[in-house]
Amino acid sequence: MELRHIRYFLAVAETLHFRRAAERAAVSQPALSQQIKQLEEEIGTPLFDRLGRAVQLTRAGAIFMEHARRVIRELESAQAAIAAEEGLQCGTLPVGVLQTVSAYLIPEIVSRFAQAHPRVSLRVEELSGRQIEEGVASGRLDAGIGFVPPLFEPLDTDPLFEEDLVLIIPQRHRLAGRLRIALADLAGEPLVLLSQMYCVRQLIDESFQKADVSPTVAIEMNSIEGILATIRASARATILPRLSLGLKPTSQLRAIGLTNPTPRRGVGLLWRPGSYRSPAARAFAEHTHAVVAEYFP
C-alpha cells in the first residue's frame, strides 16, 4: 500500500463520486479507478458499493476512512514538526472564521500576519459555526475562530471576547430613539434574520423562547452584508452581533441593546485536541490576540 492509494481513497470517500475525486486528485478517472481497485485487492474487501453512478462506502470503507484520515493527519503533523525544527516558516495555514470576524477583524489580522510571515500562505474560509468546528475536528482546518464554548465538537478553546447580539435598525426606524428594548416588545416586529443554519439565528430563537414570544421573520438571508443592505433599503430591523456594524460607528444604522434576556455569545480560537500547533498557527493566534486586545480592551 502506498501513500497515493490512501489519498485517492479519501478523495473518493469524501466526494462519493469518481469523476469529482479524479479532478480533486489531478488524475484521470480510469487511473483513479484502477488505484482504488488495487487498494481493495490488497485489503481483501470492497471499500465502495458502486450503484450505477452512485458511490457509497461499505462498512469496511467507513472503518478504513477513519484510519486513512488519521494517517494523513499524522503525516502532515510530522512534516510540520520537521519544518519547524529546521526553522522553515512556509506552507499553508487553513483557518475557518465566522462572518462578522471575517468582515471586520480578519483584514487587520491577515495584514499583520502577512507582513511578519510572508512565506506562509494563509487561507481564510468564511464558514458557519458548525462548519468551523467540523473542519477543525477533522483536521481540514488548522484553527478556527468560532463560538466558545463549542456547540458541536469537543475542541480545545482559547477565548477572545464576548459579544452581545443587538437590534440593528436604520436611523429612520420608529424604534431609533430607544437605548434598550426587551425581546418581548419585539413581538410582531418584522425582522430580517440569518437562516436557521447559523448558530446566531439559533441563539436568537432560543432567546425569544425564553422571553415567551416568537419572532416575526419577514426575510431570511445567508449574508450579514446582505441583511444590512436590506434593512438600509427597507427600514426593517434585524438582530445581529454588535460587531456586524464594524469597528467604527455608522450614521446610517444604529444598535439598540436587547434585554430580558440579552443574547450573548463567546468567540475564541478553536483547536483540535492534542494536535500539533505549527509555528504559523501559534503566530496566527498571537496576532489574533493582539488585534482583539486593541478593539476589545
Side-chain angles (χ1 to χ4, degrees):
M1 186 184 304
E2 298 183 18
L3 184 59
R4 70 172 184 274
H5 290 123
I6 296 176
R7 294 193 185 278
Y8 291 163
F9 165 80
L10 285 175
V12 179
E14 291 171 357
T15 62
L16 295 178
H17 197 285
F18 272 88
R19 179 179 58 78
R20 288 196 290 267
E23 291 173 354
R24 177 191 290 191
V27 67
S28 69
Q29 185 173 335
L32 177 67
S33 298
Q34 181 62 30
Q35 294 292 321
I36 296 298
K37 182 179 179 181
Q38 291 177 6
L39 179 62
E40 290 176 322
E41 289 175 351
E42 183 166 350
I43 293 176
T45 188
L47 300 175
F48 298 100
D49 284 327
R50 299 158 176 84
L51 306 172
R53 293 185 178 182
V55 179
Q56 300 255 344
L57 283 166
T58 63
R59 291 186 63 184
I63 294 171
F64 187 76
M65 182 170 69
E66 178 182 348
H67 291 273
R69 282 177 168 169
R70 190 177 306 156
V71 168
I72 296 300
R73 286 198 300 264
E74 291 299 326
L75 177 61
E76 291 173 348
S77 293
Q79 291 172 330
I82 292 170
E85 185 68 23
E86 296 178 355
L88 301 177
Q89 294 295 309
C90 60
T92 300
L93 182 67
V95 178
V97 300
L98 299 167
Q99 278 195 55
T100 48
V101 177
S102 177
Y104 301 110
L105 289 180
I106 282 295
E108 182 65 22
I109 295 170
V110 168
S111 175
R112 297 185 189 186
F113 183 92
Q115 185 174 4
H117 309 281
R119 297 180 63 195
V120 177
S121 175
L122 181 59
R123 190 180 77 232
V124 177
E125 298 184 43
E126 185 179 289
L127 302 168
S128 69
R130 178 186 285 274
Q131 290 171 326
I132 293 170
E133 292 183 21
E134 290 175 347
V136 173
S138 69
R140 189 180 68 81
L141 299 173
D142 286 357
I145 299 181
F147 296 108
V148 174
L151 302 177
F152 307 103
E153 300 283 349
L155 302 172
D156 289 342
T157 62
D158 187 2
L160 292 171
F161 60 90
E162 283 197 349
E163 183 180 44
D164 292 347
L165 271 60
V166 294
L167 182 73
I168 299 178
I169 54 176
Q171 293 287 5
R172 64 185 185 277
H173 194 279
R174 65 181 182 83
L175 297 174
R178 302 282 292 271
L179 295 178
R180 294 180 181 80
I181 189 168
L183 275 179
D185 292 340
L186 293 177
E189 179 70 32
L191 298 173
V192 184
L193 299 179
L194 284 169
S195 67
Q196 292 181 329
M197 69 175 285
Y198 289 95
C199 298
V200 166
R201 172 61 185 280
Q202 294 165 25
L203 175 57
I204 292 169
D205 289 346
E206 291 170 4
S207 299
F208 270 101
Q209 188 174 17
K210 290 177 182 177
D212 201 27
V213 294
S214 297
T216 301
V217 184
I219 303 172
E220 287 188 335
M221 303 179 74
N222 289 342
S223 164
I224 289 176
E225 287 299 325
I227 289 175
L228 295 179
T230 298
I231 67 171
R232 286 190 193 100
S234 66
R236 287 188 170 172
T238 186
I239 297 176
L240 289 171
R242 189 179 296 274
L243 190 59
S244 300
L245 288 180
L247 301 173
K248 297 179 181 180
T250 173
S251 60
Q252 294 180 300
L253 302 174
R254 64 164 304 174
I256 298 176
L258 296 171
T259 62
N260 300 324
T262 299
R264 180 176 288 116
R265 67 175 188 171
V267 176
L269 287 158
L270 305 179
W271 310 94
R272 187 162 58 89
S275 65
Y276 170 77
R277 298 182 191 178
S278 67
R282 295 196 298 270
F284 176 81
E286 291 172 3
H287 287 293
T288 300
H289 275 286
V291 171
V292 168
E294 294 178 14
Y295 294 114
F296 297 89

